[in-house]
Amino acid sequence: MSKELLKGLIELVPEEDIETLYKVVVKFIPEVEPEQDEVIAIMEGRRDREENGAIPHEAINWD
């Protein structure tokens, strides 16, 4: 089966069933261990958020 055929089959799935299909497909994608620098970046981000908090979305002037 080609990727193109699979894409075509996905197009046939009703919109209300897409979430279920997504959950099934994700089960077949192998998880990849994060690189050490990625782990460090995540830890730094969490620490920064704990120390400095976060700006609420509504508080940002988007203009």
Side-chain angles (χ1 to χ4, degrees), residues 2-63:
S2 70
K3 287 184 180 182
E4 290 303 315
L5 179 58
L6 186 56
K7 288 177 188 176
L9 290 173
I10 290 171
E11 292 294 322
L12 298 174
V13 175
E15 193 67 34
E16 60 270 10
D17 295 330
I18 292 293
E19 183 69 23
T20 303
L21 180 60
Y22 171 79
K23 289 177 182 178
V24 170
V25 170
V26 166
K27 298 248 183 227
F28 290 97
I29 300 173
E31 289 188 29
V32 177
E33 289 293 320
E35 299 290 329
Q36 185 62 30
D37 62 333
E38 295 172 316
V39 173
I40 291 170
I42 291 169
M43 290 170 43
E44 288 175 357
R46 288 179 179 167
R47 186 171 42 252
D48 181 66
R49 190 176 67 225
E50 287 174 7
E51 292 173 4
N52 302 308
I55 299 171
H57 199 78
E58 308 81 43
I60 298 173
N61 181 1
W62 297 98
D63 295 322

